[in-house]
Amino acid sequence: MTARAASVVTPQSAALVLFSGGQDSTVCLAYALNTCDRVETVGFDYGQRHGIEMHCRARVRSEIVHRFPDWAPRLGSDHLLDIASFGAIGDTALTSDAEIEMLASGLPSTFVPGRNLVFFVYGAALGYRRNLRVLVGGMCETDYSGYPDCRDATLRALEQAIQLGTEIPFSILTPLMWLTKAETWAFAQELGGDALVDLIIEETHTCYKGERGRRHPWGYGCGTCPACELRAKGFNAWQAAR
Ligand code: ZN
């Protein structure tokens, strides 16, 4: 390969990461920065109850630039898409003042129907324009809340629909799909060592209630909502296994 050819960024090596500022999407961002030559991020404002996610997104990105000199040149633009009309349809515990609880459907009230489908379709439209052909998301069906749009089968079908609907060979990568939450911590350690684990603890946000007052060994949050419980449980299992 000539030097010129080596420097050409192929579409396959350019990724768009669905990035919320949470633990999972931060690990996905690290994965993409480790794997691809050019990485951009996209976030969605769909009327969340708390603006903390938006704050954490900016913090995580700037800390990655400061702490990871190998990754910094690969990290490109951030995009924030307003999909408030979608949030208005969902009208669940994340977007209104309803209590977070388990519903008769067996799903938590935080479930926004079809949310990940919408995210990837918007991501593909943006990727089309930005020449980013790899779409990366932190969906997982190992330790999850039963959301049907997190399942691998759903996302494989969506990948095919997006390919057919755009005539572009987009691929959807979900590096966390088969990992437990404990394994996701271990994966972060593998990708970026203690610096990445520390960044995740200090700067990412997972709590459904938007609390950042109390610092636990695994990071900030109320400690009792389903998202905090899952994060804490995974962290403790990872620590116990080290
Ligand atoms: Zn919480």
Side-chain angles (χ1 to χ4, degrees):
M1 189 182 283
T2 65
R4 183 177 145 65
S7 69
V8 171
V9 175
T10 63
Q12 283 72 26
S13 63
L16 180 66
V17 178
L18 306 188
F19 182 59
S20 70
Q23 177 186 357
D24 291 347
S25 66
T26 298
V27 177
C28 286
L29 178 56
Y31 167 82
L33 289 166
N34 231 15
T35 313
C36 302
D37 298 324
R38 184 165 67 94
V39 178
E40 299 189 7
T41 51
V42 61
F44 299 96
D45 185 353
Y46 53 98
Q48 292 97 323
R49 280 202 297 199
H50 40 83
I52 285 174
E53 263 191 22
M54 297 302 149
H55 173 75
C56 289
R57 296 179 79 252
R59 289 283 307 161
V60 169
R61 281 180 47 97
S62 80
E63 286 302 304
I64 281 180
V65 168
H66 283 125
R67 299 193 206 180
F68 297 91
D70 289 351
W71 291 348
R74 300 177 182 181
L75 183 58
S77 307
D78 183 37
H79 310 271
L80 190 59
L81 302 181
D82 181 346
I83 55 167
S85 60
F86 181 69
I89 297 168
D91 192 37
T92 71
L94 279 186
T95 53
S96 72
D97 290 332
E99 276 297 303
I100 296 169
E101 59 189 2
M102 292 304 287
L103 303 175
S105 61
L107 292 170
S109 58
T110 48
F111 176 59
V112 183
R115 187 173 60 176
N116 291 322
L117 308 182
V118 170
F119 286 178
F120 274 117
V121 170
Y122 271 79
L126 181 62
Y128 192 105
R129 291 284 178 213
R130 303 287 303 166
N131 207 26
L132 306 162
R133 299 297 183 248
V134 179
L135 308 174
V136 187
M139 298 79 200
C140 166
E141 73 168 78
T142 309
D143 273 346
Y144 79 139
S145 303
Y147 301 171
D149 60 339
C150 286
R151 289 181 192 140
D152 190 55
T154 304
L155 299 178
R156 294 283 70 82
L158 182 63
E159 178 183 67
Q160 199 180 8
I162 288 173
Q163 289 170 355
L164 290 168
T166 58
E167 293 196 323
I168 297 287
F170 280 106
S171 53
I172 291 180
L173 292 189
T174 51
L176 312 184
M177 182 57 75
W178 308 112
L179 302 185
T180 64
K181 289 294 172 197
E183 287 167 340
T184 298
W185 283 104
F187 190 35
Q189 171 84 45
E190 200 179 300
L191 288 166
D194 289 344
L196 184 60
V197 170
D198 183 59
L199 189 158
I200 288 168
I201 290 172
E202 298 299 333
E203 308 293 352
T204 68
H205 184 77
T206 308
C207 179
Y208 282 147
K209 293 182 178 171
E211 270 194 36
R212 282 191 76 75
R214 190 164 161 220
R215 162 70 155 77
H216 308 265
W218 44 265
Y220 294 88
C222 73
T224 54
C225 77
C228 281
E229 279 184 355
L230 203 54
R231 178 164 166 155
K233 197 176 138 218
F235 183 83
N236 293 336
W238 173 57
Q239 289 287 306
R242 292 183 86 189

